[in-house]
Amino acid sequence: MLLRDSYAEINLGAIAHNIKLAQQLGNGEKIMAVVKANAYGHGLLEVLDTMIACGIDLFGVATLSEAIAIKQKYPQVDVMILGHTPDKYLNVVNERGIIQTIFSLKQAKVLNAFAVPTRVHIKIDSGFHRLGFAPKREAIGDIKAIEALPNVEVEGIFSHLALGERADDVAQYELFTKFLSELKAAGLTFKYRHICDSISYTRYPEYRMNMVRLGAWLFGMKSYDQSELDLIEALSLKSRISHISEVKAGEGVGYDYLFRAECDMRVATIPIGYADGYPRNMSNGGYVIIDGKPAAVTGVINMDQMMVSLLDHPNTKVGDPVTLYGAADGLPIGKIAEIAKTNKNEIMCRLTPRVARIYR
């Protein structure tokens, strides 16, 4: 139920379109839909029906709680935890039939103690230095020992690119594939091998192996080298004007009067703020869209409200719609990220629970 004028609008058709585009561009690689962080702010359980209808049956998350939420509603799909699960909670992973990332023999031995086998993917640190076995000789022995455990089913092996300089990505990929060759020489092969995420899926099609992990792609986010792709942004943030103030020249607006009017003007209040996930550093620098035109953020963004200039909007009135971001209205998430000096994923993920999601 929508109980306020500020809400996020999610275009499920856009998500379906983006999945189908990935399927068309691929060469039969299995797609893992990465839906961590509340499906990048879009609503975890609300988007899964669309993804499943598009043929997705493997989902990647960051935490055990995210995996449980999916398995409770969709027990038929596979869910893989891409991050670390503490040993003391691995029994829950096993009981729920969740696929777990592991990067130590110790983790595997904990899982092996359970009566029912647990599927795992082994993480290799090819240079990201976040999680994973270092691709060295001693790791081969540990991975052989993991493969030998009767109640641990090693389904896959993967790594993650830093996606900085191309030369660094090439070095990481070559280190990973070299280690895979060494593992193969030791008698170890894997059903799934993967290193590509949304960016590297198009940047390095030769790196796709037989599985890819797509997250931001599903929601229409493009990197600089994906500008020609027909991805559609699925998320818009919208509100309505709650009040209009008449501000005289020289008067201040908001906390600390960090904005002072240079002329007589009207200022609109919008009932949304940084507690909803709108970036506070858009203060006095960002803009919204009203009646198809930009309206500059005026003063400091508050916890629950913000103000914008109506200098270029003489006919705007209380109740008129506002787009805080939305590509269809000419303000893509990438532009917000640029002004806020962050990345697109953070803008999407920072939407808080009190922002209702409306699905179209």
Side-chain angles (χ1 to χ4, degrees):
M1 181 183 298
L2 187 60
L3 297 175
R4 60 187 295 217
D5 280 340
S6 300
Y7 61 94
E9 186 173 281
I10 290 87
N11 181 345
L12 296 174
I15 294 173
H17 167 87
N18 297 335
I19 292 172
K20 291 172 184 174
L21 180 61
Q23 292 167 335
Q24 291 165 5
L25 292 176
N27 293 308
E29 305 90 357
K30 188 171 185 65
I31 295 175
M32 176 193 295
V34 180
V35 291
K36 59 187 178 179
N38 198 26
Y40 290 68
H42 292 68
L44 175 59
L45 298 180
E46 292 80 2
V47 302
L48 259 65
D49 277 339
T50 297
M51 294 182 177
I52 291 169
C54 290
I56 302 295
D57 61 3
L58 172 61
F59 296 91
V61 297
T63 67
L64 178 55
S65 58
E66 292 172 328
I68 290 172
I70 294 175
K71 292 295 279 186
Q72 283 178 332
K73 186 173 181 181
Y74 302 97
Q76 77 278 16
V77 304
D78 285 330
V79 183
M80 176 175 164
I81 298 174
L82 293 163
H84 171 242
T85 300
D87 292 353
K88 60 185 175 182
Y89 301 125
L90 288 176
N91 63 308
V92 181
V93 171
N94 174 265
E95 291 164 4
R96 300 281 184 155
I98 296 164
I99 305 168
Q100 178 63 51
T101 292
I102 64 170
F103 44 91
S104 74
L105 178 56
K106 178 175 177 288
Q107 291 170 295
K109 287 180 176 178
V110 173
L111 290 169
N112 190 57
F114 306 126
V116 177
T118 304
R119 286 184 288 168
V120 302
H121 285 222
I122 294 173
K123 182 71 177 286
I124 303 300
D125 179 9
S126 60
F128 203 104
H129 299 316
R130 184 168 62 183
L131 294 176
F133 281 102
K136 298 179 179 179
R137 181 177 299 276
E138 49 267 35
I140 295 176
D142 282 351
I143 295 171
K144 286 189 74 171
I146 292 170
E147 284 271 14
L149 295 172
N151 286 334
V152 176
E153 181 183 340
V154 180
E155 183 181 75
I157 189 167
F158 72 109
S159 192
H160 199 301
L161 297 173
L163 298 170
E165 298 294 330
R166 177 175 289 268
D168 293 328
D169 293 340
V170 171
Q172 277 192 260
Y173 178 76
E174 290 179 349
L175 182 61
F176 181 48
T177 53
K178 178 176 179 291
F179 189 62
L180 289 178
S181 295
E182 292 170 352
L183 290 169
K184 185 175 182 179
L188 300 171
T189 58
F190 306 88
K191 179 179 180 181
Y192 293 118
R193 304 167 308 285
H194 47 113
I195 196 170
C196 281
D197 67 352
S198 294
I199 294 175
S200 49
Y201 182 67
T202 50
R203 185 175 297 177
Y204 307 114
E206 68 274 23
Y207 292 1
R208 290 176 185 171
M209 300 186 166
N210 66 348
M211 179 185 283
V212 293
R213 308 183 300 269
L214 301 184
W217 172 296
L218 307 176
F219 308 109
M221 296 300 104
K222 301 179 185 181
S223 64
Y224 72 89
D225 49 359
Q226 295 173 325
S227 59
E228 300 303 316
L229 289 175
D230 184 28
L231 292 172
I232 302 174
E233 287 191 17
L235 176 63
S236 301
L237 184 61
K238 300 186 175 183
S239 189
R240 291 184 179 275
I241 294 172
S242 59
H243 180 71
I244 294 176
S245 300
E246 300 288 342
V247 179
K248 298 296 185 182
E251 291 183 342
V253 175
Y255 287 113
D256 300 320
Y257 285 174
L258 293 183
F259 174 89
R260 284 190 180 272
E262 295 181 356
C263 61
D264 292 354
M265 63 185 296
R266 296 193 310 154
V267 171
T269 299
I270 305 169
I272 194 168
Y274 63 78
D276 299 294
Y278 190 77
R280 189 173 184 270
N281 56 352
M282 299 286 280
S283 301
N284 280 330
Y287 64 93
V288 302
I289 300 295
I290 299 174
D291 193 26
K293 297 185 295 184
V297 175
T298 301
V300 175
I301 292 168
N302 306 169
M303 182 179 287
D304 314 300
Q305 301 176 83
M306 58 185 286
M307 285 75 82
V308 300
S309 167
L310 294 181
L311 276 173
D312 297 324
H313 299 77
N315 300 317
T316 294
K317 59 188 183 299
V318 170
D320 280 357
V322 179
T323 297
L324 292 103
Y325 52 75
D329 292 326
L331 186 50
I333 289 170
K335 185 61 179 178
I336 299 295
E338 177 187 329
I339 298 170
K341 295 181 172 57
T342 185
N343 69 9
K344 295 182 285 290
N345 290 356
E346 185 191 350
I347 297 298
M348 295 187 292
C349 293
R350 68 191 302 165
L351 278 180
T352 62
R354 78 178 190 181
V355 178
R357 274 73 165 171
I358 306 298
Y359 297 88
R360 308 293 190 196

